[in-house]
Amino acid sequence: MRKIWMDCDTGFDDLVCIALLGHSSEVDIVGISTVVGNTSLDWTTSNTLSAVENFGFDIPVYRGCAKPLAQEPCTIEGLLGAGGMGTINRPLPAPAKRTPEQENAVSALIRTLEETEEPLTILATGPMTNLAVVAILRPDLMEKIAEVVFMGGSYGFGNHTTAAEFNTFADPEALDTVIRAGIPLKMFGLNLTNQVQITPEHADQIRAVGSEFAEVVADLLEKYLRIRDPEKSQPMALHDPSAAAYLLWPELFELQEGILSVELHGTKARGATFCEFRPKRIDTPNAKIAMRAKGDDVANRVVSQVIDALKAVQ
Ligand code: RIB
Ligand code: CA
C-alpha cells in the first residue's frame, strides 16, 4: 500500500478526502497534520478528529501551525459557517474520544520522513505552512518525499480574490518555500477542480445510506452546495477531493509540466500562481499542473467511496 501523509485545514472538502483515502485499500494514511486555513487550528483539528472518529479510522492526528509564515491568519468562516464546517441542520459532532497526538505536526512529519524506507507521498489540501516549516528545518529530508500532490493555486482566476486561490492566498510564502525546496509537485488548481462538480443529487445519494452520520454528511454537503447561494443548493467544485482522487485514479487526469511560481508582493495579486508552459521558457520545470479531468467520473467515484465508507461504519 502506498504510504500517504495528509496535511489539511479540515472543512467539508478536506473531510471528503479523509473519507476517500481512509476507506481506500490502496493507500495507507500514516498521519494527518492540521493547519490554520478554512478556520482556526483548534477547529481544523477538531473537525479532523471528528472525521477520523466518525468514519472509524485509526489514524494519528497532529496539530500543526496556528499561523501562516508571514501574515496573520485569514480564515473563511463567514463563507463556510461556524468552525469552517457549516451545515443546513445536523452539525459535525465534536470528537467524543479522539484527541490530537502530543507531538506537533512538524516534528511528527520530520520523524516520519526520517523513519520511512519508501519515499512518502504527501497530499496537501490547505495552506502549505507545515510543509514549508519542515522544508526550512530539514532540507536533507526532501529526498524522502516522493511527491506533494496539492490542491491550491490556479492556472487562471482565483476564488478568494480574483487573482488568488484561497490556500495560496492564506500563505503564499509557504507555497513559495515548498516550490523552492525542489520536491516533485503536482498542482490541482481551480482550473482543474472546477471541472469536478458535486451536485444536490450526490447529497441525496449520501443521505439514502440512512445512518445518523450519513445524515450529518449530507447536511454538511448541502451547506457546501449553498456556498454561492445560501437559499439554493447548486453544483459546486469538489476542490480537495480532486487532488485526493488523483492518488487513486490518475488515469482520469491529464497533467502538464511547467514552471510554477507564486506572487508574494503587491496588493491586488498577492497569492496568485503562474504556470509557464512555453517550451523555450521551461528549461527546468518545477511542477506538473493538472489541466484536464474526467470530471463526472471523478465526482461519481468520490461520492461512491464516501457512501461505502459510511456503510462500513453503519
Ligand atoms: O480554494 C479551495 C480550498 O480552500 C480548499 O482546500 C478548501 O478546503 C479551502 O481550504
Ligand atoms: Ca482545504
Side-chain angles (χ1 to χ4, degrees):
M1 291 169 84
R2 188 176 183 182
K3 289 183 180 298
I4 304 286
W5 183 279
M6 272 193 73
D7 188 71
C8 54
D9 65 334
T10 304
F12 178 75
D13 56 339
D14 305 75
L15 176 144
V16 172
C17 294
I18 293 169
L20 177 69
L21 297 182
H23 183 68
S24 169
S25 58
E26 295 178 41
V27 298
D28 173 20
I29 304 178
V30 296
I32 301 178
S33 48
T34 59
V35 67
V36 61
N38 277 320
T39 181
S40 67
L41 177 65
D42 286 347
W43 273 111
T44 61
T45 304
S46 175
N47 293 340
T48 302
L49 288 165
S50 178
V52 167
E53 181 174 77
N54 284 285
F55 279 107
F57 302 146
D58 180 20
I59 303 171
V61 175
Y62 304 90
R63 284 172 60 92
C65 294
K67 285 195 166 189
L69 295 186
Q71 66 187 36
E72 288 306 304
C74 69
T75 58
I76 46 176
E77 286 94 346
L79 188 69
L80 301 178
M85 191 70 78
T87 179
I88 62 163
N89 185 11
R90 300 167 182 84
L92 181 68
K97 293 179 182 165
R98 287 299 308 272
T99 58
E101 305 300 311
Q102 285 300 311
E103 189 179 18
N104 74 68
V106 169
S107 303
L109 182 49
I110 285 173
R111 174 177 52 77
T112 303
L113 290 170
E114 286 173 333
E115 293 168 356
T116 187
E117 287 177 12
E118 67 180 82
L120 192 64
T121 295
I122 297 176
L123 172 69
T125 60
M128 294 257 210
T129 317
N130 294 331
L131 305 188
V133 174
V134 170
I136 292 165
L137 282 173
R138 293 295 302 272
D140 60 301
L141 288 176
M142 295 302 100
E143 64 186 16
K144 301 294 285 296
I145 299 174
E147 60 184 5
V148 174
V149 175
F150 72 98
M151 192 282 136
S154 179
Y155 180 57
F157 292 115
N159 57 0
H160 192 70
T161 69
T162 52
E165 177 278 328
F166 174 73
N167 288 337
T168 55
F169 182 86
D171 197 341
E173 281 75 13
L175 177 57
D176 182 59
T177 301
V178 170
I179 291 170
R180 289 185 289 105
I183 313 165
L185 295 177
K186 290 179 178 172
M187 174 178 123
F188 288 73
L190 299 176
N191 59 294
L192 187 284
T193 63
N194 283 321
Q195 299 175 42
V196 184
Q197 296 280 313
I198 193 164
T199 68
E201 290 70 30
H202 289 130
D204 296 341
Q205 293 166 18
I206 288 171
R207 197 177 298 279
V209 170
S211 64
E212 177 56 26
F213 188 54
E215 294 276 10
V216 169
V217 174
D219 285 352
L220 298 174
L221 174 51
E222 285 284 3
K223 179 70 174 178
Y224 184 78
L225 294 170
R226 286 169 168 78
I227 283 177
R228 285 205 299 263
D229 178 353
E231 300 308 315
K232 181 176 178 295
S233 70
Q234 52 192 311
M236 174 72 183
L238 201 45
H239 295 301
D240 296 335
S242 294
Y246 173 78
L247 296 174
L248 300 180
W249 312 298
E251 70 278 5
L252 299 182
F253 300 88
E254 291 173 27
L255 285 71
Q256 185 174 349
E257 256 191 355
I259 294 186
L260 171 64
S261 59
V262 53
E263 179 57 63
L264 302 177
H265 306 293
T267 53
K268 303 294 184 193
R270 177 167 160 80
T273 51
F274 304 95
C275 306
E276 175 61 79
F277 293 120
R278 288 173 290 183
K280 291 191 175 63
R281 309 286 182 94
I282 54 171
D283 51 344
T284 52
N286 63 4
K288 291 183 178 176
I289 312 299
M291 299 298 281
R292 295 198 54 72
K294 293 180 177 171
D296 290 347
D297 283 358
V298 174
N300 291 331
R301 289 194 195 190
V302 167
V303 171
S304 175
Q305 280 275 75
V306 170
I307 287 170
D308 286 351
L310 287 166
K311 288 177 177 174
V313 285
Q314 249 180 326

